[in-house]
Amino acid sequence: MPDWDLLITDARLATMATSGRFAAVPYGAIDRGAVALSGGRIAWLGPEAELPGASATRTHSAEGRWITPALIDCHTHLVFGGSRAEEFEERLMGVSYEEISRRGGGIMSSVRATRAASEEALVDAARHRLDAFISDGCATVEIKSGYGLDLDAELRMLRAATRLGQEAGITVRRTLLAAHALPPEFEGRRDAYVDFIVDTVLPAAYEEGLVDMVDAYLERIAFSADDVERIFGRARGLGLPVRLHADQLTAGGGAEVAARLGALSADHLEYTSEAGAAAMAAAGTVAVLLPGAYLMLGETQSPPVAALRAAGVPMAVATDCNPGTSPMASLRSAMSLASALFGLTPEECLRGATVHAARALGLSDRGELAVGLRGDLAFWDVDHVRDLTYWMGTRDLAALWVGGKRLK
Ligand code: DI6
Ligand code: FE
């Protein structure tokens, strides 16, 4: 019996290692490296010169290409009904956001269209967006609910997300975000809506095995810290990890709330303070930066990157792919924007789309190239992996391997 299923040689490895001997160099790079896979996992990796005398069923030359951990988008809303393109166009022709929302536009137009869509229609509409993520090198994509806001439509969104992952052959992590906005039938009764999430939506999603995580939108225009605490308490009771949309539009101490409630991540963070960054560091909460929403909203307040760095908070980068504030289905573009708008280095951006994104999702089996982790590998036609952040719009993915098998 050969020792390994597959041995890949002549590779330049960006291991993104966070510990061990390769962590000391930028990108955890190994210049002339080899990786062996067995049972879908990484069985060996290192400099080719140190390859042990082991046998492999197959060998494959990377022909000098760079290999990174497959990319991970840890924050998307890529399942939704309808389109907001017309609204986008109207706004650029001078119709105010208030006027559009008075007419029932904005997030509520996505809610109406999502409620009216079948599971099939939601899958069909989202498929090309998920394909775009995969073409960009993603083997793990998180998808949130939150455009249904009633029991049926929230569950339908999660079922659509489940099917999309199965169909595409990648990992989709499903997040219940029923606390995204207050649905019209609960107008003036936010407490009752939170009860409904806690007593009905969350248990039903859990029972059906549709939910991996729970999220909420903490914001003056959305939900309060008390609301979030109740929802997260129920999530914890079911053993589900939580994360939080925090400090996107106003300084509401959201990062502190996320840290206090043990959230895996706090996302957006434009208005987070130094104290918020320190609280996140102490709690081990990942900062998820979403430059697409920042750009499309014309935001001028940037997340406190220097404070996050100084405190040692791991920073992830994601698209926030959604029809309202971040119509973007490219994680590579989010990486480029995170460097151009927030000053992240190319290495921070790549860590943000691999190892730190895995942490934001609570996944310890991926995000780096290391023995024992999943064989989720992206092969790139680039001179150097810094190019993945430097260039926008180039199609550089040479191959994508998921769980030790070639997908693309
Ligand atoms: N933050 C956002 O920017 C989006 N959701 C959120 O929690 C907005 C969603 C939309 O406008 O459809
Ligand atoms: Fe979001």
Side-chain angles (χ1 to χ4, degrees):
M1 258 263 297
D3 303 289
W4 298 324
D5 298 339
L6 174 69
L7 173 62
I8 300 163
T9 57
D10 195 10
R12 300 175 80 189
L13 304 176
T15 66
M16 311 314 285
T18 48
S19 61
R21 63 186 271 223
F22 306 120
V25 289
Y27 300 93
I30 303 174
D31 213 36
R32 199 185 161 87
V35 198
L37 303 177
S38 257
R41 303 251 164 185
I42 297 173
W44 187 89
L45 95 169
E48 225 177 72
E50 296 175 19
L51 258 176
S55 60
T57 309
R58 283 186 308 136
T59 59
H60 175 82
S61 170
E63 296 170 340
R65 288 192 180 88
W66 279 97
I67 300 178
T68 66
L71 304 187
I72 299 170
D73 194 316
C74 66
H75 183 140
T76 88
H77 309 246
L78 76 81
V79 169
F80 56 85
S83 164
R84 309 252 289 275
E86 221 173 296
E87 271 179 21
F88 171 70
E89 198 166 29
E90 279 178 338
R91 269 194 285 139
L92 288 164
M93 294 190 304
V95 184
S96 75
Y97 194 78
E98 289 68 35
E99 171 60 21
I100 288 171
S101 115
R102 245 196 322 276
R103 289 188 212 150
I107 191 164
M108 283 309 147
S109 82
S110 295
V111 171
R112 269 195 314 277
T114 302
R115 287 178 174 184
S118 65
E119 181 183 325
E120 199 74 37
L122 291 174
V123 170
D124 285 345
R127 190 178 287 117
H128 79 286
R129 288 188 285 275
L130 189 61
D131 284 347
F133 281 102
I134 295 168
S135 301
D136 234 17
C138 291
T140 304
V141 175
E142 184 257 17
I143 300 178
K144 298 176 198 296
S145 71
Y147 289 116
L149 312 182
D150 66 20
L151 179 63
D152 283 357
E154 284 293 300
L155 296 185
R156 213 180 311 124
M157 287 185 75
L158 295 170
R159 286 187 205 112
T162 307
R163 264 182 52 194
L164 282 161
Q166 285 164 350
E167 213 180 71
I170 66 156
T171 301
V172 165
R173 295 299 279 180
R174 302 147 309 168
T175 303
L176 180 74
L177 177 61
H180 190 195
L182 190 66
E185 60 276 20
F186 281 92
E187 175 120 37
R189 297 187 300 132
R190 213 176 64 217
D191 274 350
Y193 183 59
V194 173
D195 287 341
F196 173 65
I197 294 173
V198 166
D199 298 333
T200 306
V201 185
L202 181 44
Y206 177 79
E207 278 300 308
E208 204 179 313
L210 290 173
V211 57
D212 302 304
M213 273 168 298
V214 174
D215 194 346
Y217 192 26
L218 175 60
E219 192 59 62
R220 266 211 309 255
I221 57 162
F223 294 88
S224 72
D226 287 346
D227 300 335
V228 170
E229 197 157 346
R230 287 176 56 211
I231 295 164
F232 284 12
R234 183 67 208 247
R236 244 196 320 277
L238 296 170
L240 294 170
V242 296
R243 39 210 299 233
L244 190 64
H245 281 68
D247 305 330
Q248 181 188 7
L249 307 171
T250 54
E256 288 89 335
V257 173
R260 177 164 58 79
L261 299 179
L264 284 173
S265 72
D267 304 41
H268 285 290
L269 305 179
E270 278 80 347
Y271 290 86
T272 295
S273 65
E274 264 182 48
M280 288 174 66
T285 300
V286 177
V288 179
L289 306 183
L290 304 166
Y294 171 97
L295 177 73
M296 296 304 288
L297 289 170
E299 182 61 71
T300 52
Q301 167 92 20
S302 308
V305 166
L308 292 166
R309 251 187 218 134
V313 177
M315 292 181 284
V317 174
T319 58
D320 198 18
C321 174
N322 79 69
T325 60
S326 194
M328 175 164 70
S330 162
L331 183 53
R332 290 261 323 265
S333 301
M335 291 161 64
S336 294
L337 292 177
S339 69
L341 300 172
F342 300 158
L344 265 65
T345 66
E347 184 174 356
E348 285 175 322
C349 290
L350 189 54
R351 287 195 183 279
T354 54
V355 56
H356 294 158
R359 231 174 115 171
L361 295 178
L363 296 172
S364 54
D365 63 350
R366 67 195 73 193
E368 298 180 36
L369 303 181
V371 171
L373 300 197
R374 281 171 61 90
D376 288 2
L377 313 176
F379 291 58
W380 302 99
D381 283 321
V382 292
D383 292 334
H384 190 278
V385 282
R386 63 175 72 92
D387 295 6
L388 300 177
T389 296
Y390 176 51
W391 275 99
M392 278 196 262
T394 47
R395 302 207 150 265
D396 304 316
L397 186 74
L400 182 65
W401 292 61
V402 181
K405 292 201 175 64
R406 184 159 183 176
L407 182 77
K408 226 179 155 59

